[in-house]
Every structure is written in C-alpha cells, then in structure tokens.
Amino acid sequence: MNVILPRGVSKERFAAATSAMRKVVGDHWVILDPNPLIAGYMDTYSAAPESSTAASAAVCPASVEEVQEVVKVANQHRIPIWSISTGKNFAYGGPAPRTAGQVVLDLRRMNRVIEVNTDLGYAIVEPGVGYVDFYNYMKRHKLPYWIDCAANGMGGVMGNTLDHGVGYTAYGDHLLMQCGMEVVLADGSLMRTGMGALPGGSPSWPLYKYGYGPYIDGLFTQSNFGVVTKIGLWLMPEPPAFRPFMVQLQNEDDLYQVTELLRPLKINMIIPNAAITVHLLWEASVWTTKHEWKTGSGALPPRTLRQIAEKFNLGMWNFYAALYGLPEVVEANWQIIESTFRSIKGAKIYREEDRKDDPSFNYRVRLMRGEPNLTEFSLMNWVGGGGHINFSPISPASGADAMKQFQMIRKACEKFGFDYIGEFVIGWREQHHILMLMFNRYDADESRRAHDCFAQLINDAAAEGYGEYRTNLHFMDQIAGTYGANDGALLRMQRHIKRALDPAGILAPGKNGIWPLGEPPETNS
Amino acid sequence: MVHRRELLKAGAGLVLAAPIRIPLRLLTGIASAPSEAPDVIAETGIASASELIAAAQANARHARAVDIDSTILIRRLSEAWATRPRPLFGMTRSDVALLVEAIARDHGMAVVYRGWHDHRAAGEIHHVLYGNPDVIAIVQREFSSAGTGFGKVLGRHVIELASLGARPASINFTVDTAARPPRQARFVTWAVAPARPAMVV
C-alpha cells in the first residue's frame, strides 16, 4: 500500500507529527489513510487526477487553542497544512490541498455564531459556519437582518469571504462587508486585526475596519500567511420592501446594451445588489440536459439554443436584480428600471409574480434575499458526471468588455468541444465573468480537453489584459504568473511576506501561487 | 413546490430475484461485516429507478423513488445524520450525488461506492464503478447479463455496496444492448456509510 506523505517528509517524521496532533485534538479527529474518510478531502470534480491533490491526513481542531497547538506541531515537524473552513468551494478545489500530501486543517468543528449584535448590525463567526447554519441561526432568533449567501448555499461564510466570493443581496461583496479578523500565525501566536488589537477587546473591532497603521485584513485572504479563526461581518437590515425582477433578452448581442444600461444604475446605487446577466444554458440546466438535445461531443449549435430558449421561455441572456428599501423608494426606482430596460428591443421584464413556476427565477429570488439553496447545482446535470471548473476573469462593467469576453471565451469553449455556460456578476464598477466549464469527469479525453481549454483561456484573457479573481488549485500558479507586471513585483512581494511570516513554509504552500522558500512553482506545477 | 412521493406501489407487483449474498470473508478491510441495511432513494425520471427500488426492498430499510428537491433533501439528510449517520444508497442525477457526498464528510460518513451509467446512442451502456473491488466485480458480471436491467442488480446488492470494505477501486466497462437511450440517459448511483471511529495508523 502506498501511503501518501507530504513532499520531503519521512514516514517517521509524519508519524511523529500526527501522533502529536492526536494529543492536541484527540485520536478521533486525526484522519489518516486508510480511514475512508480521508477520501472525502479529494477534489473529485476538477479536470485533473484526484491523486494530484490527495491529502495525507486531515486534522480537525475544535478551538482556537487547538489550532494554535496544531500549527506549533506542524512548525516543529515541518509539516505543510492546508486550512479549510467547510471545504465546499467545489469549482475551485473543494476541501483538497494544493499538492498531494499536504495535511488538511479542517476547521468545520469550529462552527459557532459567536455574536450577532442587532443594534449595530454585525456578526462574528467561526470558520465552520455554513450559510445554512447562519441562515437558520438568524431565523431561530428572529433577528431583523438578512444574511448574504453564495449561489452554493452549502458554502461557508468565512471561506467564501476569504476567497473573495460574492453573493446576491446589496451586501453581496463579502469582503467589503467583513470587519475584524482573528488569525493564528505560523508560529502559533494569535493576532486580532484593526481595533481588535487593543488589549481587553474593543467593541469597535467589528465596526471599524482600519484600526491604526497599515490595514492588513486583506493579507489573510486568498493567501497563506495565517489561519483565520474568526471574522466580523456586517449584516443587511431586512428591508421593508424587496422587488426582484428579471429582464429577458432575445439576442446574444443584447449583452452589450444591457451592460451599458446597467452601469449607471449600479454606480448610482439604483440597483444595490450584485446584478447578474446569465446566458441561456446556465438557466436551461434547471430544466433540461444536454443529452436531450445532442448526443456526442461538441457545443450546441445556435439553432438548438433558439429551440431551448423557446421551449422554456428563456432569453438568450437573462438579467436578474432587485430593489430594496422603503416601499415608496422602491416604487420610484422601479419606474427608472422599467423605462431603462424597455429601451432594449424585444426585452421582456418580469416580476416575481409573473414567473411563479419558473425554478430558475425562483432560486435567483431566494438568493437575492439571502436564502441559501442548492438549485444552481442543476448545472452538474448538463452533461452529467459533475465535472466542473470555473473560469472567472474580471473586467470593467462595459458592454464592449462583456461582448469581447463572451466571444473570446465561447470561441475557446467551442474549439475544445464545450458549451459556453456563463454569467456576468456586476459589482459597482466591474464585472466578474463566470464560465462554468462543464465536462464529464468519467471521460478522460473530455477531462483533458477541459483542462487544456482552461489553460488556454487564462492565456487568452491575459493577452487582452484580463485577470482572474479566483481559481481552481491546478491553475493557481499559471494565473499568479499573469499578474507579472514590473518583473513579477507583486508575487515577489507576496513571497517575501510569506518567508517573513512563515519561514518554515508550513501554511498552505502554493496557495494562489505563493510558495515558501525552496519551493518555486516550476517544481510544483 | 416540492414533491416527494413514494412509488412503492409501482414496484410491489414485480417478482424479486433472489438476492445474491456475498460471503462475509469477501468484505475485508475496516468493517468486519456489512453495515446495517441502508436507506435507498431513486430519483423519479430515471428509467431504472423503479426496478432498483423493487429489488432493493428486500434489502433496504426504506426504498423509495422520489422527486428530489436538492435543497430540501440535503437539509433533511443533514438533520437526520446530525443525530444518527446511517448508510444511504442513491440512484440520482449528478448534482444530488455531489451534494450528498459533501455533507457526508461533515457527518463522519464516507463515500463507499460510486457508479456512472451512460446510455449511448449505439445501444451501449457504459458503466464506471468505484467501490469494494470484490463487490463491484460481482456487480460487473451480473450487469453484463442484465443489460438494461442493471437497476435490479444494484437493488439486490445495496447492502454490500453501502458497506465499508476493502480499499475502493475503479472499473469501467460497456454492456451492449439493443435499447434506445432513455430520456435521462446519464445518471449516477452512489452509497455513503458511517466511517467512525476514525482509524489511526
């Protein structure tokens, strides 16, 4: 039997380390091969072999003190540890570590909502709190606030925030709404950011982000400089009025106009939430599967897309957003919305009551009011098998950029035999373009093509000046390399910080392209 | 609107084939014996669902075909497994499998079996099975003679497939049939089972 070990770690050293970790968390909470639970930490849905990111062990502490002790043990024995909160960011790697053999530090047992302050509208949560847990907590205590969740309702509040994830209410930019952080550093010491650094604890910790001196919370997002054990979050007051709506667009070229019309509405906060423009097939996957329209490989032709749109009463693009606030304000803004989007030829505007039996609109409505749900996982059935990776470039919120990215990405998808399944999530001034690259993971050729398609997309996007905001484990180095201006100054600085804060290089080596000393990416790709 | 309806009646009139039991000695590894009878769910709309349920009823604690709303299913499983994790066998579309596997880990449950079933236009069914090598080898042999009726084979073996056993392995093979692909031509089968207490080396 081949036992997976961290790179460069002997079996004896690994055994000594895991033995010490068991003393910290208890035998039950150190999971080692051949316990079948260890397979639960694999990235089963990406295009690369599962073995390339198979963990050697998982350790599940129940408290900050246990995290500190585990980190100290890892430091002593030079064991790489990869922290996860709930490990549900499937398209980006799920619970798996960056490379085979790293030990997963699974924080799901730390799942307390520590505080919700209803006067000031904030919460403090631990890493293992999932969206459903958080939502249930708010409902159980009848608190007059909404949460904001990702489309993956199974996800974790902290994990999504630290990975720069977004949701769909007016508080959809999760990191923007984060305030106050507690971090275990690589030497096992505990640090609180911002006002939390005041001795005795400051009530302003979850209220004022910046404290005194450099603002550093961002250093602990998409990084490997520490293990975050608490965050503060601002909560959205339950609005007196909520009006979700959908604008159905008949032509793919309408993407240009809808984006141009939307931008001023976003910048002026007429539409306060993360509005989304969703391509036909993303929505159609709630209703049908590819196999019902085409057998064999290759993307669906335009004629078939038209047939699908007609059959399910969907647009080639489908725009969703919502208005929030006082009823009279919502009504006033609604007049602006209607007059704006009616200027698009053939556009149809729907309100919630117009499409009560439409499951795709229904789940969008629920997301826009912060109700976690799992309907979007219907995408896994489009080709079947569940293989998926997300390609997520950022661009200005402009019609020209939206069309350029759409055409560029669809061209690459079709070249490799895949359908374009994408959406634009529009923030205040930029847009996240999310391609859901779906493939049959039981088909080795298709998986390889998906991997190659993704790699080409990174290069194509970079050549046009676009960078991705987040990615799957297997593409972290390639994407980090595209942020290479000034002879790679940004990544060089990140690696300097890494080596200063974590000289032994034990925390999540390779996360987002940040490798410790002696582990350059070219030997780890 | 969520519908969960039992289709026990649909399978009640079918004559069940005699279950083929696997000798305990074949179930090696962590578990010394098969797990308790699993619950079995099959998603309506999958052509093999009713034959799976009919065959599983002799071996399962509850076996039923259901219309699945994934949000509600996962919530109910999470609530049930929070107090008592127990084996579950499913025949569903891929999204349900992904979600069940993900919450299984949260409750100390392991994925002990996966199956991928792909009806192809030429009348072939391509199967990929992952699980206890001894069990899936038996299942493979029976699939070959069952053709499109492989749901019945799975139903007979749900206990063994949903049990912890030897280190899982994968096999893939194609069975020739003359049948046209059903509407839901691609789907998965899977099983999760409690894996506690944690093993330590």
Side-chain angles (χ1 to χ4, degrees):
Chain A
M1 180 172 61
N2 293 323
V3 176
I4 299 168
L5 293 170
R7 186 199 315 273
V9 175
S10 69
K11 198 171 179 180
E12 292 71 26
R13 179 147 59 98
F14 182 68
T18 51
S19 175
M21 289 174 183
R22 285 204 300 270
K23 288 177 184 159
V24 176
V25 300
D27 285 352
H28 195 71
W29 296 109
V30 175
I31 299 162
L32 291 163
D33 190 44
N35 186 328
L37 288 175
I38 197 66
Y41 292 93
M42 285 187 170
D43 176 15
T44 319
Y45 295 96
S46 75
E50 295 172 7
S51 58
S52 61
T53 55
S56 57
V59 182
C60 312
S63 67
V64 175
E65 293 75 19
E66 288 187 3
V67 173
Q68 291 178 272
E69 291 307 309
V70 169
V71 168
K72 286 176 186 170
V73 170
N75 231 322
Q76 180 189 347
H77 295 276
R78 300 293 192 264
I79 301 293
I81 52 177
W82 180 272
S83 56
I84 62 169
S85 56
T86 63
K88 305 291 197 306
N89 57 341
F90 303 111
Y92 298 108
R98 171 66 183 84
T99 58
Q102 294 179 358
V103 172
V104 174
L105 184 64
D106 182 347
L107 304 177
R108 72 189 144 97
R109 293 175 68 205
M110 298 168 64
N111 59 0
R112 292 178 302 157
V113 177
I114 291 173
E115 180 187 2
V116 174
N117 186 306
T118 53
D119 292 331
L120 293 163
Y122 70 81
I124 298 175
V125 300
E126 290 188 321
V129 175
Y131 287 122
V132 172
D133 306 321
F134 199 23
Y135 178 81
N136 290 342
Y137 182 96
M138 303 296 277
K139 291 293 170 193
R140 192 164 58 247
H141 292 88
K142 297 182 169 56
L143 301 176
Y145 289 93
W146 284 0
I147 73 160
D148 187 284
C149 59
N152 169 7
M154 189 182 263
V157 175
M158 181 187 290
N160 186 277
T161 302
L162 298 184
D163 216 18
H164 303 174
V166 298
Y168 301 91
T169 74
Y171 279 37
D173 184 338
H174 292 163
L175 192 56
L176 188 67
M177 299 302 163
Q178 175 268 329
C179 184
M181 196 177 267
E182 179 184 84
V183 186
V184 173
L185 298 173
D187 62 0
S189 60
L190 190 66
M191 179 190 73
R192 287 190 173 182
T193 64
M195 305 304 288
L198 288 171
S202 164
S204 300
W205 183 38
L207 303 176
Y208 181 66
K209 284 171 171 257
Y210 311 116
Y212 181 74
Y215 171 60
I216 62 168
D217 289 41
L219 285 176
F220 300 98
T221 70
Q222 290 198 356
S223 81
N224 47 15
F225 302 150
V227 178
V228 182
T229 49
K230 288 184 186 69
I231 57 169
L233 295 166
W234 293 338
L235 300 171
M236 176 177 162
E238 185 175 346
F242 165 63
R243 184 172 299 178
F245 62 95
M246 169 192 188
V247 182
Q248 194 182 88
L249 305 165
Q250 307 308 315
N251 302 296
E252 287 183 333
D253 289 349
D254 292 338
L255 175 65
Y256 179 91
Q257 193 178 357
V258 76
T259 310
E260 288 294 301
L261 291 172
L262 173 62
R263 186 177 57 249
L265 299 176
K266 285 293 306 179
I267 290 176
N268 289 287
M269 291 195 278
I270 303 297
I271 293 178
N273 71 326
I276 42 178
T277 310
V278 189
H279 191 257
L280 167 71
L281 292 183
W282 193 300
E283 300 307 86
S285 68
V286 176
W287 300 86
T288 185
T289 64
K290 182 173 187 175
H291 208 274
E292 291 181 43
W293 302 89
K294 177 181 171 63
T295 55
S297 60
L300 294 181
R303 179 168 45 86
T304 306
L305 297 183
R306 282 276 171 212
Q307 290 170 338
I308 291 172
E310 285 173 20
K311 179 169 181 180
F312 300 109
N313 186 21
L314 294 166
M316 298 306 286
W317 292 101
N318 303 277
F319 172 81
Y320 301 93
L323 303 178
Y324 306 79
L326 295 169
E328 51 271 38
V329 174
V330 166
E331 191 55 44
N333 285 338
W334 180 247
Q335 306 307 316
I336 300 170
I337 296 296
E338 278 200 307
S339 63
T340 300
F341 290 110
R342 286 211 188 285
S343 67
I344 304 174
K345 188 180 177 185
K348 296 175 185 171
I349 303 176
Y350 295 102
R351 287 172 55 172
E352 189 176 8
E353 55 269 31
D354 301 326
R355 296 178 76 98
K356 283 181 180 167
D357 296 324
D358 176 351
S360 49
F361 190 25
N362 178 271
Y363 93 83
R364 300 282 181 186
V365 171
R366 293 163 70 189
L367 290 175
M368 289 188 284
R369 64 175 177 233
E371 283 182 29
N373 68 81
L374 303 171
T375 305
E376 192 161 286
F377 283 93
S378 301
L379 284 160
M380 303 304 120
N381 306 323
W382 178 246
V383 294
H388 67 292
I389 37 180
N390 283 3
F391 178 69
S392 316
I394 298 289
S395 79
S398 81
D401 282 294
M403 285 303 296
K404 187 174 172 182
Q405 282 203 359
F406 166 54
Q407 288 163 350
M408 174 184 74
I409 292 176
R410 182 158 75 174
K411 184 178 173 187
C413 285
E414 290 179 352
K415 173 185 163 188
F416 287 93
F418 299 106
D419 292 310
Y420 170 82
I421 304 177
E423 68 176 8
F424 289 85
V425 184
I426 300 98
W428 266 350
R429 288 162 175 81
E430 55 70 46
Q431 54 194 352
H432 295 47
H433 186 180
I434 312 292
L435 169 73
M436 188 69 79
L437 186 54
M438 305 301 310
F439 57 93
N440 176 6
R441 68 191 175 105
Y442 293 103
D443 183 325
D445 174 64
E446 201 167 309
S447 297
R448 187 170 54 252
R449 280 189 282 118
H451 190 280
D452 292 347
C453 179
F454 200 105
Q456 179 182 313
L457 282 170
I458 294 168
N459 293 338
D460 288 352
E464 297 293 337
Y466 300 123
E468 289 69 55
Y469 90 103
R470 184 183 189 188
T471 197
N472 180 276
L473 299 167
H474 298 281
F475 299 97
M476 286 180 170
D477 289 337
Q478 187 182 351
I479 289 179
T482 66
Y483 286 80
N486 299 310
D487 196 25
L490 177 62
L491 190 57
R492 204 164 51 246
M493 189 203 75
Q494 290 168 344
R495 290 178 179 170
H496 282 317
I497 295 172
K498 175 68 175 169
R499 288 157 195 175
L501 290 179
D502 179 16
I506 58 159
L507 298 181
K511 171 85 173 170
N512 282 63
I514 306 169
W515 292 95
L517 193 64
E519 288 195 81
E522 48 273 17
T523 62
N524 290 283
S525 298
Chain B
M1 186 65 71
V2 178
H3 306 283
R4 290 173 65 90
R5 55 195 169 90
E6 298 193 0
L7 296 183
L8 295 177
K9 288 178 184 172
L14 296 179
V15 177
L16 299 180
I20 297 174
R21 298 292 183 185
I22 296 176
L24 288 183
R25 62 184 167 75
L26 291 180
L27 294 161
T28 55
I30 293 166
S32 58
S35 301
E36 60 184 320
D39 289 326
V40 176
I41 59 169
E43 193 162 8
T44 55
I46 296 176
S48 305
S50 55
E51 66 180 24
L52 168 76
I53 295 303
Q57 281 170 352
N59 296 322
R61 183 168 165 269
H62 298 294
R64 54 192 167 169
V66 291
D67 289 343
I68 291 176
D69 177 306
S70 54
T71 304
I72 292 174
L73 174 71
I74 294 302
R75 189 184 71 213
R76 289 182 179 172
L77 289 177
S78 294
E79 289 167 359
W81 289 346
T83 52
R84 190 184 168 211
R86 51 174 299 111
L88 178 67
F89 184 98
M91 173 182 280
T92 65
R93 292 179 298 168
S94 296
D95 61 333
V96 178
L98 180 152
L99 295 166
V100 170
E101 289 184 7
I103 60 159
R105 175 167 50 86
D106 295 342
H107 297 285
M109 313 251 290
V111 177
V112 291
Y113 162 77
R114 285 192 192 107
W116 164 248
H117 315 285
D118 181 3
H119 290 258
R120 294 176 175 174
E124 300 170 333
I125 307 174
H126 185 66
H127 299 281
V128 181
L129 306 181
Y130 161 93
N132 183 323
D134 299 317
V135 177
I136 61 175
I138 292 170
V139 169
Q140 180 188 8
R141 281 200 298 275
E142 295 184 20
F143 271 22
S144 298
S145 57
T148 57
F150 63 89
K152 192 182 292 184
V153 176
L154 291 170
R156 289 201 300 262
H157 292 295
V158 287
I159 292 179
E160 296 89 344
L161 290 167
S163 298
L164 289 172
R167 181 180 290 270
S170 291
I171 52 173
N172 67 86
F173 55 95
T174 300
V175 176
D176 290 318
T177 75
R180 293 181 58 193
R183 181 171 177 271
Q184 187 68 49
R186 292 175 156 185
F187 56 92
V188 290
T189 49
W190 44 266
V192 294
R196 295 180 185 213
M199 291 285 292
V200 291
V201 173

